[in-house]
Amino acid sequence: EPVAASAEEQGYALLDRDGVRVGTADTVPDQLPEVTVPLADAEQTGPALTAVLDVVDALPATLLEQVAEAGARSDRTVELVLDDGATVRWGTAQENDLKAAVLEVLRAEQEAAVYDVSVPRAPTTSA
């Protein structure tokens, strides 16, 4: 059963929870999130997809509604792009609650182009 859609040259690959292609579509089905994961490398697709979905599932509603894009090249490189264009370097899908809390504080206190919460006890920002 598909749980996410990922863009490819001719439409979208529909992926199950393990990152296995279970279909294709011309557009993203309404009920599925669109994610960016490495479709060309089957060994990376599953772990990257799992990490992205774990992060998205853990986001509080206030942050989730700001997410325009979510993706990862591997299970250690989850990134989010927010509606205002800011990039969030999330890293692994560990300590998601702490990372979300840190991100909320950073966003409230400082406007930045990049928020890096991959090490939540030592976050960084850059213009």
Side-chain angles (χ1 to χ4, degrees):
E1 181 175 330
V3 298
S6 187
E8 57 183 357
E9 285 185 32
Q10 305 269 333
Y12 294 86
L14 304 181
L15 306 171
D16 73 5
R17 185 72 182 176
D18 296 321
V20 175
R21 181 189 307 257
V22 294
T24 58
D26 293 332
T27 60
V28 177
D30 289 337
Q31 72 277 17
L32 297 181
E34 182 179 351
V35 299
T36 303
V37 293
L39 295 174
D41 184 353
E43 289 183 18
Q44 289 294 326
T45 305
L49 178 62
T50 298
V52 170
L53 294 176
D54 286 351
V55 168
V56 170
D57 288 347
L59 292 176
T62 55
L63 280 177
L64 184 58
E65 65 190 19
Q66 297 175 48
V67 175
E69 299 174 31
R73 293 179 311 283
S74 74
D75 62 344
R76 299 181 168 277
T77 61
V78 175
E79 285 193 0
L80 308 173
V81 177
L82 305 180
D83 288 334
D84 64 3
T87 297
V88 179
R89 293 186 183 138
W90 198 271
T92 65
Q94 297 174 336
E95 297 187 291
N96 290 331
D97 293 340
L98 177 58
K99 290 177 183 180
V102 168
L103 179 59
E104 286 182 313
V105 169
L106 288 174
R107 300 253 315 147
E109 306 229 345
Q110 183 176 11
E111 187 174 325
V114 178
Y115 298 90
D116 189 332
V117 295
S118 60
V119 180
R121 289 167 186 79
T124 63
T125 61
S126 60

